[in-house]
Amino acid sequence: MSLLEKDFEAVIFDSIRTSSLYVEFDDTDGSYSKGAYSREYHCDLKLLASYIQKTQPIAWRKVQAQYPGHEAAAVAAEIKKLRPKRGLLELLRNGFSLAGVGKVELVTFKPSTGFNPAHRQKYEANCLAIVRQFHFSNDRPNDAIDLVILLNGLPLVTMEVKNEFTGQTWQHAEQQYRKDRSANDPFLRACVVHFAVDNTTISMTTRLENGKTRFLPFNRELKNPPIEDNFASAYLWEDVVVDGMVKPGVLRADSLLDLLQNYLHFERKEDEETGKISTALIFPRYHQLDAVRKLLSEVRVRGAGDNYLIQHSAGSGKSNTIAWLAHQLSNFF
């Protein structure tokens, strides 16, 4: 019996939802995004409230006093107002001030050391959720994205999943984003990255521009080599062993939070002809992420002082790889 697209989608969903910091959340009929999820605020109000209550009890009591009966909605309304101005990434990293409450934080990143148990407890209070068949649009309520990941109630990642065994590939997923996913949709604009995924190949983009949307490869090599007893693209959603080394699943909680904390950034470019300045959110390609994590792993085991040769082809993002590595080595314990 051949593997259907919904079965492949279920493989990814089941692997991620049972991992650390993800809530047990089974929604196969799409009812969640039609009900419990607030399309008005693009936020799961319950997950947002739960995180703030656990990590910032004093701030939450002030929210209760200031906005009785609609606490989470008041916080979400401020996020919605600030997101177009500051961007979700900046809000996650720095929080924001809410009138009558003070500073509100939306995520806790992993501590560099184990010296502060309270920080570790706050980190473990992060709540991620993965949702199947997510109905994201008010204008097109029947349209659904295959998989969506939320962090403390806020949408972060979308995935369109295709199955080669039924004649669909990552290229069909890319076309789905270009043709059927409006770049002006507020939900899609709120997310930081979109993945086109099939059994062997992955590509991604941080900016939807309708028919002009540009995807970048997110493969381990030019083409993904096989992974024993698994899909060649499995490194996206689960830990895999390659050449005797454990590679953490990219969308596992520790990995995804690490990406938000240490890798994602906005890059400003000036057009040489027009002088126009544009900004783009940079999400590392897999070879960049792998290079940095390999070197950090080496330093943990061997300490400082060794020399390494990193093979990067022209145009493959050497500058960003160097910057990400230098930044994290400067905070290394």
Side-chain angles (χ1 to χ4, degrees), residues 156-206:
L156 279 185
V157 179
T158 76
M159 280 181 277
E160 291 293 356
V161 178
K162 302 301 175 185
N163 183 7
E164 293 173 309
F165 296 109
T166 58
Q168 295 274 296
T169 71
W170 56 279
Q171 292 169 309
H172 293 94
E174 286 187 357
Q175 285 300 97
Q176 194 168 10
Y177 276 116
R178 291 188 181 106
K179 294 182 177 180
D180 301 330
R181 305 290 180 249
S182 171
N184 294 320
D185 186 277
F187 169 82
L188 295 171
R189 289 170 66 89
C191 296
V192 298
V193 65
H194 311 278
F195 287 101
V197 185
D198 69 22
N199 317 79
T200 62
T201 305
I202 305 171
S203 63
M204 60 90 179
T205 184
T206 60

Side-chain angles (χ1 to χ4, degrees), residues 25-307:
F25 190 84
D26 196 355
D27 176 59
T28 54
D29 61 1
S31 60
Y32 164 81
S33 50
K34 293 180 178 179
Y37 179 84
S38 171
R39 290 195 207 168
E40 178 183 359
Y41 299 116
H42 305 296
C43 178
D44 183 311
L45 299 181
K46 289 184 178 180
L47 293 181
L48 178 65
S50 175
Y51 170 75
I52 298 173
Q53 283 178 292
K54 291 176 183 177
T55 60
Q56 304 152 83
I58 296 174
W60 184 251
R61 286 196 290 270
K62 291 181 180 179
V63 174
Q64 289 177 311
Q66 192 77 12
Y67 308 96
H70 55 99
E71 296 88 352
V75 178
E78 188 68 12
I79 297 170
K80 180 181 178 181
K81 183 178 77 173
L82 293 173
R83 191 155 33 193
K85 303 174 185 177
R86 293 174 54 187
L88 179 61
L89 183 61
E90 204 271 336
L91 288 172
L92 288 172
R93 286 177 173 168
N94 298 307
F96 63 94
S97 293
L98 184 63
V101 175
K103 185 173 183 180
V104 176
E105 296 176 351
L106 299 176
V107 63
T108 302
F109 293 116
K110 197 170 188 176
S112 299
T113 72
F115 299 157
N116 189 339
H119 189 160
R120 181 72 198 190
Q121 288 180 343
K122 284 184 65 177
Y123 175 76
E124 292 175 351
N126 286 315
C127 182
L128 291 100
I130 182 166
V131 188
R132 293 180 70 179
Q133 295 303 309
F134 192 100
H135 293 264
F136 64 96
S137 175
N138 285 322
D139 297 331
R140 301 173 67 175
N142 293 325
D143 286 3
I145 293 176
D146 290 333
L147 292 166
V148 169
I149 292 176
L150 303 98
L151 169 62
N152 298 327
L154 301 172
L156 279 185
V157 179
T158 76
M159 280 181 277
E160 291 293 356
V161 178
K162 302 301 175 185
N163 183 7
E164 293 173 309
F165 296 109
T166 58
Q168 295 274 296
T169 71
W170 56 279
Q171 292 169 309
H172 293 94
E174 286 187 357
Q175 285 300 97
Q176 194 168 10
Y177 276 116
R178 291 188 181 106
K179 294 182 177 180
D180 301 330
R181 305 290 180 249
S182 171
N184 294 320
D185 186 277
F187 169 82
L188 295 171
R189 289 170 66 89
C191 296
V192 298
V193 65
H194 311 278
F195 287 101
V197 185
D198 69 22
N199 317 79
T200 62
T201 305
I202 305 171
S203 63
M204 60 90 179
T205 184
T206 60
R207 175 186 284 179
L208 295 178
E209 297 180 283
N210 299 322
K212 296 180 180 179
T213 300
R214 179 171 175 253
F215 283 83
L216 292 173
F218 197 75
N219 296 326
R220 290 167 46 220
E221 299 177 12
L222 188 61
K223 290 186 177 181
N224 276 323
I227 297 175
E228 187 176 358
D229 299 325
N230 212 329
F231 297 105
S233 55
Y235 59 90
L236 182 66
W237 61 85
E238 68 180 66
D239 298 347
V240 296
V241 178
V242 178
D243 298 329
M245 294 181 62
V246 177
K247 307 279 187 179
V250 174
L251 298 180
R252 299 291 225 195
D254 284 348
S255 173
L256 186 53
L257 289 166
D258 177 42
L259 283 162
L260 290 170
Q261 181 183 13
N262 294 312
Y263 292 87
L264 271 71
H265 69 275
F266 280 94
E267 185 175 84
R268 299 174 80 250
K269 286 187 176 181
E270 182 176 351
D271 189 291
E272 294 180 358
E273 295 182 0
T274 65
K276 184 178 179 181
I277 294 175
S278 62
T279 59
L281 179 61
I282 302 300
F283 190 100
R285 293 168 65 184
Y286 187 82
H287 68 274
Q288 296 172 304
L289 181 64
D290 191 44
V292 174
R293 287 181 169 173
K294 275 182 179 178
L295 287 167
L296 293 175
S297 179
E298 281 284 309
V299 174
R300 284 190 185 95
V301 175
R302 300 173 62 88
D306 286 343
N307 295 320

